[in-house]
CSV table of all heavy atoms in Angstrom, one decimal:
chain,number,residue,atom,x,y,z
Z,1,THR,N,-26.6,-197.1,0.0
Z,1,THR,CA,-28.0,-196.7,-0.2
Z,1,THR,C,-28.8,-196.9,1.1
Z,1,THR,O,-30.0,-196.6,1.0
Z,1,THR,CB,-28.6,-197.6,-1.3
Z,1,THR,OG1,-28.6,-198.9,-1.0
Z,1,THR,CG2,-27.9,-197.3,-2.7
Z,2,THR,N,-28.2,-197.4,2.2
Z,2,THR,CA,-28.9,-197.6,3.4
Z,2,THR,C,-29.0,-196.3,4.3
Z,2,THR,O,-29.9,-196.2,5.0
Z,2,THR,CB,-28.4,-198.8,4.2
Z,2,THR,OG1,-27.1,-198.3,4.7
Z,2,THR,CG2,-28.3,-200.0,3.3
Z,3,GLY,N,-27.9,-195.6,4.2
Z,3,GLY,CA,-27.9,-194.5,5.1
Z,3,GLY,C,-27.0,-194.7,6.3
Z,3,GLY,O,-26.0,-194.3,6.7
Z,4,ILE,N,-27.5,-195.9,7.1
Z,4,ILE,CA,-27.0,-196.1,8.4
Z,4,ILE,C,-25.6,-196.7,8.2
Z,4,ILE,O,-24.7,-196.6,9.0
Z,4,ILE,CB,-28.0,-197.2,9.1
Z,4,ILE,CG1,-27.6,-197.1,10.7
Z,4,ILE,CG2,-27.8,-198.5,8.7
Z,4,ILE,CD1,-27.8,-195.8,11.3
Z,5,VAL,N,-25.3,-197.5,7.1
Z,5,VAL,CA,-23.8,-198.0,6.9
Z,5,VAL,C,-22.9,-196.9,6.7
Z,5,VAL,O,-21.8,-196.7,7.3
Z,5,VAL,CB,-23.9,-198.9,5.8
Z,5,VAL,CG1,-22.4,-199.4,5.4
Z,5,VAL,CG2,-24.8,-200.1,6.1
Z,6,ALA,N,-23.4,-195.7,6.0
Z,6,ALA,CA,-22.4,-194.6,5.7
Z,6,ALA,C,-22.3,-193.9,7.0
Z,6,ALA,O,-21.3,-193.5,7.3
Z,6,ALA,CB,-23.1,-193.7,4.6
Z,7,TYR,N,-23.4,-193.7,7.7
Z,7,TYR,CA,-23.3,-193.0,9.0
Z,7,TYR,C,-22.4,-193.7,10.0
Z,7,TYR,O,-21.7,-193.1,10.8
Z,7,TYR,CB,-24.9,-193.0,9.6
Z,7,TYR,CG,-25.0,-192.4,11.0
Z,7,TYR,CD1,-25.3,-191.0,11.0
Z,7,TYR,CD2,-24.8,-193.0,12.2
Z,7,TYR,CE1,-25.5,-190.3,12.2
Z,7,TYR,CE2,-25.0,-192.5,13.4
Z,7,TYR,CZ,-25.4,-191.0,13.4
Z,7,TYR,OH,-25.5,-190.4,14.7
Z,8,TYR,N,-22.4,-195.0,10.0
Z,8,TYR,CA,-21.5,-195.8,10.9
Z,8,TYR,C,-20.1,-195.7,10.4
Z,8,TYR,O,-19.2,-195.4,11.2
Z,8,TYR,CB,-21.9,-197.3,10.9
Z,8,TYR,CG,-21.1,-198.1,11.8
Z,8,TYR,CD1,-21.0,-198.0,13.2
Z,8,TYR,CD2,-20.3,-199.1,11.2
Z,8,TYR,CE1,-20.1,-198.8,13.9
Z,8,TYR,CE2,-19.5,-200.0,11.9
Z,8,TYR,CZ,-19.3,-199.7,13.3
Z,8,TYR,OH,-18.6,-200.6,14.2
Z,9,ALA,N,-19.8,-195.9,9.2
Z,9,ALA,CA,-18.5,-195.9,8.7
Z,9,ALA,C,-17.8,-194.5,8.8
Z,9,ALA,O,-16.7,-194.5,9.1
Z,9,ALA,CB,-18.5,-196.3,7.1
Z,10,VAL,N,-18.5,-193.4,8.5
Z,10,VAL,CA,-17.9,-192.1,8.6
Z,10,VAL,C,-17.5,-191.6,9.9
Z,10,VAL,O,-16.6,-190.8,10.2
Z,10,VAL,CB,-18.9,-191.0,7.9
Z,10,VAL,CG1,-20.0,-190.6,9.0
Z,10,VAL,CG2,-18.2,-189.8,7.5
Z,11,GLY,N,-18.1,-192.3,11.1
Z,11,GLY,CA,-17.8,-191.9,12.4
Z,11,GLY,C,-16.7,-192.8,13.0
Z,11,GLY,O,-16.5,-192.6,14.2
Z,12,LYS,N,-16.2,-193.8,12.3
Z,12,LYS,CA,-15.2,-194.7,12.9
Z,12,LYS,C,-13.9,-194.1,13.2
Z,12,LYS,O,-13.5,-193.1,12.6
Z,12,LYS,CB,-14.9,-195.8,11.9
Z,12,LYS,CG,-16.1,-196.8,11.6
Z,12,LYS,CD,-16.6,-197.6,12.9
Z,12,LYS,CE,-15.5,-198.6,13.2
Z,12,LYS,NZ,-15.8,-199.4,14.4
Z,13,SER,N,-13.3,-194.6,14.3
Z,13,SER,CA,-12.0,-194.1,14.8
Z,13,SER,C,-11.0,-195.2,14.8
Z,13,SER,O,-11.4,-196.4,14.9
Z,13,SER,CB,-12.0,-193.4,16.1
Z,13,SER,OG,-13.1,-192.3,16.2
Z,14,VAL,N,-9.7,-194.9,14.8
Z,14,VAL,CA,-8.6,-195.8,15.0
Z,14,VAL,C,-7.8,-195.3,16.3
Z,14,VAL,O,-7.3,-194.2,16.2
Z,14,VAL,CB,-7.7,-196.0,13.8
Z,14,VAL,CG1,-6.5,-196.9,14.2
Z,14,VAL,CG2,-8.4,-196.5,12.6
Z,15,GLY,N,-8.0,-196.0,17.4
Z,15,GLY,CA,-7.5,-195.4,18.7
Z,15,GLY,C,-8.3,-194.3,18.9
Z,15,GLY,O,-9.5,-194.3,19.1
Z,16,ASN,N,-7.6,-193.1,19.2
Z,16,ASN,CA,-8.3,-191.8,19.5
Z,16,ASN,C,-8.5,-190.9,18.2
Z,16,ASN,O,-8.8,-189.7,18.4
Z,16,ASN,CB,-7.6,-191.1,20.5
Z,16,ASN,CG,-7.7,-191.8,22.0
Z,16,ASN,OD1,-8.8,-192.3,22.2
Z,16,ASN,ND2,-6.6,-191.7,22.8
Z,17,GLN,N,-8.1,-191.4,17.1
Z,17,GLN,CA,-7.9,-190.6,15.9
Z,17,GLN,C,-9.1,-190.9,15.0
Z,17,GLN,O,-9.5,-192.0,14.6
Z,17,GLN,CB,-6.7,-190.9,15.0
Z,17,GLN,CG,-6.5,-189.9,13.9
Z,17,GLN,CD,-5.3,-190.2,13.1
Z,17,GLN,OE1,-4.4,-191.1,13.5
Z,17,GLN,NE2,-5.0,-189.4,12.2
Z,18,LEU,N,-9.9,-189.9,14.6
Z,18,LEU,CA,-11.0,-190.0,13.6
Z,18,LEU,C,-10.4,-190.6,12.3
Z,18,LEU,O,-9.4,-189.9,11.9
Z,18,LEU,CB,-11.8,-188.7,13.5
Z,18,LEU,CG,-12.7,-188.3,14.7
Z,18,LEU,CD1,-13.1,-186.9,14.3
Z,18,LEU,CD2,-13.9,-189.3,14.8
Z,19,ILE,N,-11.0,-191.5,11.6
Z,19,ILE,CA,-10.6,-191.9,10.3
Z,19,ILE,C,-11.0,-190.7,9.3
Z,19,ILE,O,-10.2,-190.3,8.4
Z,19,ILE,CB,-11.3,-193.1,9.8
Z,19,ILE,CG1,-10.8,-194.4,10.8
Z,19,ILE,CG2,-11.0,-193.4,8.4
Z,19,ILE,CD1,-11.4,-195.6,10.5
Z,20,PHE,N,-12.2,-190.1,9.6
Z,20,PHE,CA,-12.6,-188.9,8.7
Z,20,PHE,C,-12.8,-187.8,9.7
Z,20,PHE,O,-13.8,-187.8,10.5
Z,20,PHE,CB,-13.8,-189.3,7.9
Z,20,PHE,CG,-13.8,-190.6,6.9
Z,20,PHE,CD1,-14.3,-191.7,7.4
Z,20,PHE,CD2,-12.9,-190.4,5.9
Z,20,PHE,CE1,-14.2,-192.8,6.5
Z,20,PHE,CE2,-12.8,-191.5,5.0
Z,20,PHE,CZ,-13.5,-192.7,5.4
Z,21,ASN,N,-12.1,-186.8,9.5
Z,21,ASN,CA,-12.1,-185.6,10.3
Z,21,ASN,C,-12.9,-184.5,9.6
Z,21,ASN,O,-12.5,-184.1,8.5
Z,21,ASN,CB,-10.8,-185.1,10.6
Z,21,ASN,CG,-10.9,-183.8,11.7
Z,21,ASN,OD1,-11.9,-183.1,11.8
Z,21,ASN,ND2,-9.9,-183.6,12.4
Z,22,PRO,N,-14.1,-184.3,10.0
Z,22,PRO,CA,-14.9,-183.2,9.2
Z,22,PRO,C,-14.4,-181.9,9.0
Z,22,PRO,O,-14.8,-181.0,8.2
Z,22,PRO,CB,-16.3,-183.2,9.9
Z,22,PRO,CG,-15.9,-183.6,11.4
Z,22,PRO,CD,-14.8,-184.6,11.3
Z,23,GLN,N,-13.3,-181.6,9.9
Z,23,GLN,CA,-12.6,-180.3,9.8
Z,23,GLN,C,-11.3,-180.3,9.0
Z,23,GLN,O,-10.6,-179.4,8.9
Z,23,GLN,CB,-12.3,-179.8,11.2
Z,23,GLN,CG,-13.5,-179.6,12.0
Z,23,GLN,CD,-13.3,-178.8,13.3
Z,23,GLN,OE1,-12.2,-178.4,13.6
Z,23,GLN,NE2,-14.3,-178.8,14.2
Z,24,GLU,N,-11.1,-181.4,8.2
Z,24,GLU,CA,-10.1,-181.6,7.2
Z,24,GLU,C,-10.7,-181.7,5.8
Z,24,GLU,O,-11.9,-182.3,5.7
Z,24,GLU,CB,-9.2,-182.8,7.5
Z,24,GLU,CG,-8.4,-182.6,8.8
Z,24,GLU,CD,-7.6,-183.8,9.1
Z,24,GLU,OE1,-7.7,-184.9,8.4
Z,24,GLU,OE2,-6.8,-183.7,10.2
Z,25,SER,N,-10.2,-181.3,4.8
Z,25,SER,CA,-10.7,-181.2,3.6
Z,25,SER,C,-11.3,-182.6,3.1
Z,25,SER,O,-12.6,-182.6,2.7
Z,25,SER,CB,-9.8,-180.7,2.4
Z,25,SER,OG,-10.4,-180.5,1.3
Z,26,PHE,N,-10.5,-183.6,3.1
Z,26,PHE,CA,-11.0,-185.0,2.6
Z,26,PHE,C,-12.1,-185.5,3.4
Z,26,PHE,O,-13.2,-185.9,3.0
Z,26,PHE,CB,-9.8,-185.9,2.6
Z,26,PHE,CG,-10.2,-187.3,2.1
Z,26,PHE,CD1,-10.4,-187.5,0.7
Z,26,PHE,CD2,-10.4,-188.3,3.1
Z,26,PHE,CE1,-10.7,-188.8,0.3
Z,26,PHE,CE2,-10.7,-189.6,2.6
Z,26,PHE,CZ,-10.9,-189.8,1.3
Z,27,GLY,N,-12.0,-185.4,4.8
Z,27,GLY,CA,-12.9,-185.9,5.6
Z,27,GLY,C,-14.2,-185.1,5.6
Z,27,GLY,O,-15.4,-185.7,5.5
Z,28,ASN,N,-14.2,-183.9,5.3
Z,28,ASN,CA,-15.4,-183.0,5.2
Z,28,ASN,C,-16.2,-183.4,3.9
Z,28,ASN,O,-17.4,-183.6,4.0
Z,28,ASN,CB,-15.0,-181.5,5.1
Z,28,ASN,CG,-16.1,-180.6,5.1
Z,28,ASN,OD1,-16.5,-180.1,4.0
Z,28,ASN,ND2,-16.8,-180.5,6.2
Z,29,ARG,N,-15.4,-183.7,2.9
Z,29,ARG,CA,-16.2,-184.1,1.7
Z,29,ARG,C,-16.8,-185.5,1.8
Z,29,ARG,O,-17.8,-185.8,1.2
Z,29,ARG,CB,-15.1,-184.2,0.4
Z,29,ARG,CG,-14.6,-182.8,0.1
Z,29,ARG,CD,-13.5,-182.9,-0.8
Z,29,ARG,NE,-13.7,-182.8,-2.2
Z,29,ARG,CZ,-12.9,-182.8,-3.2
Z,29,ARG,NH1,-11.5,-182.8,-2.8
Z,29,ARG,NH2,-13.2,-182.7,-4.4
Z,30,ILE,N,-16.1,-186.4,2.6
Z,30,ILE,CA,-16.8,-187.7,2.9
Z,30,ILE,C,-18.0,-187.5,3.6
Z,30,ILE,O,-19.0,-188.2,3.4
Z,30,ILE,CB,-15.8,-188.6,3.5
Z,30,ILE,CG1,-14.7,-189.1,2.5
Z,30,ILE,CG2,-16.4,-189.9,4.1
Z,30,ILE,CD1,-15.1,-189.9,1.3
Z,31,TYR,N,-17.9,-186.6,4.7
Z,31,TYR,CA,-19.2,-186.3,5.5
Z,31,TYR,C,-20.4,-185.8,4.6
Z,31,TYR,O,-21.5,-186.1,4.7
Z,31,TYR,CB,-18.9,-185.3,6.5
Z,31,TYR,CG,-18.6,-186.0,7.9
Z,31,TYR,CD1,-17.3,-186.4,8.2
Z,31,TYR,CD2,-19.7,-186.2,8.8
Z,31,TYR,CE1,-17.1,-187.0,9.4
Z,31,TYR,CE2,-19.4,-186.8,10.0
Z,31,TYR,CZ,-18.2,-187.2,10.3
Z,31,TYR,OH,-17.9,-187.7,11.6
Z,32,GLY,N,-19.9,-185.0,3.6
Z,32,GLY,CA,-20.9,-184.5,2.7
Z,32,GLY,C,-21.5,-185.5,1.9
Z,32,GLY,O,-22.8,-185.6,1.6
Z,33,ALA,N,-20.7,-186.6,1.4
Z,33,ALA,CA,-21.2,-187.8,0.6
Z,33,ALA,C,-22.1,-188.6,1.5
Z,33,ALA,O,-23.2,-189.0,1.1
Z,33,ALA,CB,-20.0,-188.7,0.2
Z,34,ALA,N,-21.7,-188.8,2.8
Z,34,ALA,CA,-22.7,-189.6,3.7
Z,34,ALA,C,-24.0,-188.7,3.9
Z,34,ALA,O,-25.1,-189.5,3.9
Z,34,ALA,CB,-21.9,-189.8,5.1
Z,35,ALA,N,-24.0,-187.5,4.0
Z,35,ALA,CA,-25.2,-186.8,4.2
Z,35,ALA,C,-26.0,-186.9,3.0
Z,35,ALA,O,-27.3,-186.9,3.1
Z,35,ALA,CB,-24.9,-185.2,4.5
Z,36,GLN,N,-25.5,-187.0,1.7
Z,36,GLN,CA,-26.3,-187.0,0.6
Z,36,GLN,C,-27.1,-188.4,0.5
Z,36,GLN,O,-28.1,-188.4,-0.1
Z,36,GLN,CB,-25.3,-187.0,-0.5
Z,36,GLN,CG,-25.0,-185.5,-1.1
Z,36,GLN,CD,-24.4,-185.6,-2.5
Z,36,GLN,OE1,-23.9,-186.5,-3.0
Z,36,GLN,NE2,-24.4,-184.3,-3.1
Z,37,VAL,N,-26.5,-189.4,1.1
Z,37,VAL,CA,-27.1,-190.7,1.1
Z,37,VAL,C,-28.6,-190.5,1.7
Z,37,VAL,O,-29.5,-191.0,1.1
Z,37,VAL,CB,-26.3,-191.7,1.8
Z,37,VAL,CG1,-27.2,-193.1,1.8
Z,37,VAL,CG2,-25.0,-192.0,1.2
Z,38,TYR,N,-28.6,-189.9,2.8
Z,38,TYR,CA,-29.9,-189.7,3.6
Z,38,TYR,C,-30.7,-188.6,2.7
Z,38,TYR,O,-31.9,-188.7,2.6
Z,38,TYR,CB,-29.6,-189.0,4.8
Z,38,TYR,CG,-29.2,-190.1,5.9
Z,38,TYR,CD1,-28.0,-190.4,6.2
Z,38,TYR,CD2,-30.3,-190.8,6.5
Z,38,TYR,CE1,-27.6,-191.4,7.2
Z,38,TYR,CE2,-30.0,-191.9,7.4
Z,38,TYR,CZ,-28.6,-192.1,7.7
Z,38,TYR,OH,-28.2,-193.2,8.6
Z,39,GLU,N,-30.0,-187.5,2.1
Z,39,GLU,CA,-30.8,-186.6,1.4
Z,39,GLU,C,-31.5,-187.3,0.2
Z,39,GLU,O,-32.7,-187.0,-0.2
Z,39,GLU,CB,-29.8,-185.6,0.9
Z,39,GLU,CG,-30.5,-184.3,0.5
Z,39,GLU,CD,-29.5,-183.1,0.3
Z,39,GLU,OE1,-29.1,-182.4,1.2
Z,39,GLU,OE2,-28.9,-182.9,-0.8
Z,40,HIS,N,-30.9,-188.3,-0.4
Z,40,HIS,CA,-31.4,-189.0,-1.6
Z,40,HIS,C,-32.4,-190.0,-1.2
Z,40,HIS,O,-33.5,-190.2,-1.9
Z,40,HIS,CB,-30.3,-189.5,-2.5
Z,40,HIS,CG,-29.4,-188.5,-3.0
Z,40,HIS,ND1,-28.1,-188.8,-3.5
Z,40,HIS,CD2,-29.6,-187.2,-3.3
Z,40,HIS,CE1,-27.6,-187.6,-3.8
Z,40,HIS,NE2,-28.5,-186.8,-3.9
Z,41,TYR,N,-32.2,-190.8,-0.3
Z,41,TYR,CA,-32.9,-192.1,0.1
Z,41,TYR,C,-33.8,-191.9,1.3
Z,41,TYR,O,-34.9,-192.6,1.4
Z,41,TYR,CB,-32.0,-193.3,0.3
Z,41,TYR,CG,-31.2,-193.6,-0.9
Z,41,TYR,CD1,-29.9,-193.3,-1.2
Z,41,TYR,CD2,-31.8,-194.4,-2.0
Z,41,TYR,CE1,-29.3,-193.7,-2.4
Z,41,TYR,CE2,-31.3,-194.7,-3.2
Z,41,TYR,CZ,-29.9,-194.4,-3.3
Z,41,TYR,OH,-29.3,-194.6,-4.5
Z,42,LYS,N,-33.4,-191.2,2.3
Z,42,LYS,CA,-34.1,-191.2,3.6
Z,42,LYS,C,-34.1,-189.7,4.2
Z,42,LYS,O,-33.6,-189.4,5.2
Z,42,LYS,CB,-33.6,-192.1,4.6
Z,42,LYS,CG,-33.7,-193.6,4.1
Z,42,LYS,CD,-33.1,-194.4,5.2
Z,42,LYS,CE,-33.1,-195.9,4.8
Z,42,LYS,NZ,-32.6,-196.9,5.7
Z,43,PRO,N,-34.7,-188.8,3.4
Z,43,PRO,CA,-34.7,-187.3,3.8
Z,43,PRO,C,-35.3,-187.0,5.1
Z,43,PRO,O,-34.9,-186.1,5.8
Z,43,PRO,CB,-35.4,-186.7,2.6
Z,43,PRO,CG,-36.4,-187.6,2.1
Z,43,PRO,CD,-35.6,-188.9,2.2
Z,44,GLU,N,-36.2,-187.9,5.7
Z,44,GLU,CA,-36.8,-187.5,7.0
Z,44,GLU,C,-36.1,-188.2,8.2
Z,44,GLU,O,-36.4,-187.8,9.3
Z,44,GLU,CB,-38.3,-188.2,7.0
Z,44,GLU,CG,-39.2,-187.7,5.8
Z,44,GLU,CD,-39.3,-186.1,5.9
Z,44,GLU,OE1,-39.4,-185.6,7.0
Z,44,GLU,OE2,-39.3,-185.5,4.8
Z,45,ASP,N,-35.0,-189.1,7.9
Z,45,ASP,CA,-34.3,-189.6,8.9
Z,45,ASP,C,-33.4,-188.6,9.6
Z,45,ASP,O,-32.6,-188.0,9.0
Z,45,ASP,CB,-33.5,-190.8,8.4
Z,45,ASP,CG,-33.0,-191.7,9.4
Z,45,ASP,OD1,-32.4,-191.3,10.5
Z,45,ASP,OD2,-33.0,-192.9,9.2
Z,46,PRO,N,-33.5,-188.6,11.0
Z,46,PRO,CA,-32.9,-187.5,11.8
Z,46,PRO,C,-31.2,-187.8,11.6
Z,46,PRO,O,-30.5,-186.8,11.8
Z,46,PRO,CB,-33.2,-187.6,13.1
Z,46,PRO,CG,-33.9,-189.0,13.2
Z,46,PRO,CD,-34.4,-189.4,11.8
Z,47,HIS,N,-30.8,-189.0,11.3
Z,47,HIS,CA,-29.3,-189.2,11.2
Z,47,HIS,C,-28.8,-188.3,10.0
Z,47,HIS,O,-27.6,-187.8,10.2
Z,47,HIS,CB,-29.0,-190.7,10.9
Z,47,HIS,CG,-29.4,-191.5,12.1
Z,47,HIS,ND1,-30.7,-192.1,12.2
Z,47,HIS,CD2,-28.7,-192.1,13.0
Z,47,HIS,CE1,-30.7,-192.9,13.3
Z,47,HIS,NE2,-29.5,-193.0,13.8
């Protein structure tokens, strides 16, 4: 519900590999979920 925790977690990598790739189906849906946190709680936040 904070926004920034979702923002941080969704961008994490292991080595050079993204944990959530927005150009893959699962990773894209997780990015959508993270964006929704801001849409619901902090719509004005640029993140």
Side-chain angles (χ1 to χ4, degrees):
T1 60
T2 70
I4 200 64
V5 175
Y7 182 87
Y8 179 64
V10 80
K12 293 294 287 181
S13 300
V14 175
N16 295 321
Q17 183 178 4
L18 288 170
I19 296 173
F20 301 107
N21 185 342
Q23 296 187 12
E24 294 176 354
S25 183
F26 180 77
N28 185 257
R29 294 165 91 175
I30 291 292
Y31 263 88
Q36 275 195 343
V37 177
Y38 281 96
E39 199 167 272
H40 295 156
Y41 292 100
K42 298 182 178 180
E44 303 301 320
D45 193 316
H47 294 84

